Amino acid sequence: MEGGSDFRHWDDLIPDALGLIFGNLTLQEILTVIPRVCQSWNKAVLGPYCWQEIDIEDWSNRCQAHHLDRMLEMLIARSCGSLRKLTVSGLQNDRIFSHIAEHTGSLQTLRLPRSEISDSIVEKTAGRLSNITFLDLSYCGKIGFRALEAIGKNCKMLVALCRNMHPLDTAGKPLLDDEACAIATTMPRLKHLEMAYHLISTGSALQILSSCRELEFLDLRGCWDVKLEDKFLKEKYPKLKVLGPLVLDYYERNEWEDCSDFSDASDYLAWEFVAGELEDYYDDDDDESYAEMWDDEGRLEQLELRFYEGIDHHEDAGGVGWPPSP
């Protein structure tokens, strides 16, 4: 800041403040635009201040598995253990789930819909997720009561669980109460529970109600064998809101398409951008070398990841050619 000036340079802001400001930008902008502005902004993006909440659900629904793993590893490393909320869809292996559990000790909200994780890995790592208060394991078809039991025994602060299933995955199958029993016996502090399209009986639903005395919301849409009378619920559980079983919901209105029943996902990771948006950041000589990267979204991911990872290696201003601070 020059003497006598009433204005401060943006790079004089502390990293915490920069992190709050950058939080209003899309992830694409944080990772590809902000690091090019000046050295202090690059350092802020490399540090934990921008990565206490990570939401890559939209992007993860479209990307390739190995790109997803690399992105998660990079962003989790940048959070430096301060990550409080992680939203990602479609984990494809147990290894990346184990990585998340081992490096996110401060995590409170974890949303992993449509992930291919197993009971065994959840049992091995649940103890590292003891601070979790909100967990979404909807449409995770490879886990069952063993995983839920391990979570209930280790995550004592859990107050919200989403375990919705897709109706096509449960249609025509027999009743199975083991997950409901695991929830009832190990998660007494639940206040919010979603079990849409689960094949549970009335007895299991009543067991949950009697064990989870603090429950305020219960989603039973599509649990066709559950019979709970409105009069009984109002008299016995006056503070409880029950949704379903007979409710015209998203599936029926939209021809049974995939959906997230308790999703707060936004356009945070739409990343529907084209080559023209990055023209300002590359010289004309680079056009030919990068042209092939714009052919499809998969190639675009490769460019993004290469760019993000490359920036990490430039600690000094000379390596990037930083412009003056705005």
Side-chain angles (χ1 to χ4, degrees):
M1 183 171 64
E2 298 179 0
S5 174
D6 293 331
F7 302 96
R8 297 181 61 184
H9 288 171
W10 280 85
D11 59 0
D12 289 336
L13 289 175
I14 59 175
D16 305 64
L18 289 174
L20 291 174
I21 295 171
F22 297 159
N24 295 306
L25 304 176
T26 65
L27 188 59
Q28 177 226 330
E29 292 170 325
I30 295 174
L31 291 176
T32 62
V33 178
I34 295 301
R36 289 280 181 139
V37 174
C38 64
Q39 186 176 14
S40 67
W41 284 24
N42 177 56
K43 288 183 177 180
V45 170
L46 293 180
Y49 311 101
C50 294
W51 312 114
Q52 295 180 3
E53 295 188 3
I54 297 174
D55 184 343
I56 57 174
E57 182 174 14
D58 290 343
W59 177 74
S60 61
N61 282 326
R62 302 189 298 272
C63 74
Q64 298 180 28
H66 66 283
H67 289 158
L68 176 57
D69 291 356
R70 288 170 60 193
M71 179 67 80
L72 281 171
E73 289 168 353
M74 182 189 72
L75 297 182
I76 290 173
R78 291 189 180 188
S79 72
C80 299
S82 65
L83 182 61
R84 297 193 303 264
K85 179 179 180 180
L86 175 62
T87 302
V88 56
S89 177
L91 299 185
Q92 294 300 309
N93 56 76
D94 286 350
R95 185 197 66 80
I96 192 62
F97 178 81
S98 178
H99 182 85
I100 292 171
E102 291 175 1
H103 296 88
T104 56
S106 300
L107 199 60
Q108 298 174 357
T109 297
L110 180 59
R111 300 175 58 86
L112 302 174
R114 302 177 181 85
S115 292
E116 299 293 318
I117 55 178
S118 65
D119 281 328
S120 59
I121 194 61
V122 176
E123 290 175 323
K124 291 177 182 177
T125 58
R128 300 189 182 100
L129 299 172
S130 58
N131 291 323
I132 291 290
T133 60
F134 183 102
L135 180 63
D136 186 352
L137 294 176
S138 296
Y139 322 115
C140 297
K142 291 187 176 181
I143 61 172
F145 78 95
R146 288 170 48 198
L148 295 183
E149 191 173 60
I151 291 167
K153 290 180 178 179
N154 290 276
C155 305
K156 299 299 184 181
M157 301 176 66
L158 188 67
V159 295
L161 173 68
C162 297
R163 183 69 179 118
N164 301 302
M165 300 299 290
H166 195 287
L168 293 179
D169 293 333
T170 58
K173 296 182 179 179
L175 292 180
L176 192 62
D177 291 321
D178 52 359
E179 290 194 22
C181 292
I183 292 171
T185 55
T186 64
M187 305 179 187
R189 298 185 62 183
L190 284 182
K191 295 182 179 180
H192 183 107
L193 175 60
E194 298 184 15
M195 296 190 70
Y197 294 95
H198 263 266
L199 299 169
I200 64 173
S201 64
T202 301
S204 294
L206 290 174
Q207 185 180 3
I208 290 174
L209 293 178
S210 62
S211 300
C212 305
R213 305 297 298 182
E214 300 180 34
L215 203 60
E216 298 174 355
F217 178 84
L218 178 60
D219 187 349
L220 294 174
R221 285 174 297 165
C223 300
W224 309 118
D225 288 276
V226 176
K227 311 298 181 183
L228 298 174
E229 295 183 0
D230 291 340
K231 181 179 180 181
F232 167 78
L233 291 174
K234 290 179 181 180
E235 293 178 354
K236 192 76 173 181
Y237 307 99
K239 297 182 179 180
L240 175 65
K241 178 181 179 180
V242 178
L243 184 62
L246 301 176
V247 173
L248 182 64
D249 69 0
Y250 189 98
Y251 295 120
E252 284 75 23
R253 292 197 307 269
N254 293 273
E255 298 182 355
W256 301 52
E257 294 176 347
D258 286 342
C259 76
S260 177
D261 295 282
F262 191 69
S263 175
D264 56 5
S266 64
D267 294 332
Y268 183 55
L269 269 178
W271 290 19
E272 300 294 342
F273 59 95
V274 294
E277 293 186 47
L278 293 182
E279 286 177 354
D280 295 338
Y281 307 123
Y282 301 103
D283 297 331
D284 293 338
D285 295 338
D286 293 330
D287 289 344
E288 183 175 353
S289 63
Y290 283 104
E292 63 179 18
M293 306 303 290
W294 308 109
D295 293 342
D296 54 49
E297 191 166 8
R299 291 184 176 182
L300 181 56
E301 294 165 12
Q302 296 174 19
L303 172 61
E304 290 164 349
L305 285 167
R306 189 172 70 188
F307 180 80
Y308 307 154
E309 293 169 347
I311 288 293
D312 287 343
H313 301 301
H314 296 285
E315 296 295 336
D316 57 311
V320 178
W322 303 109
S325 172

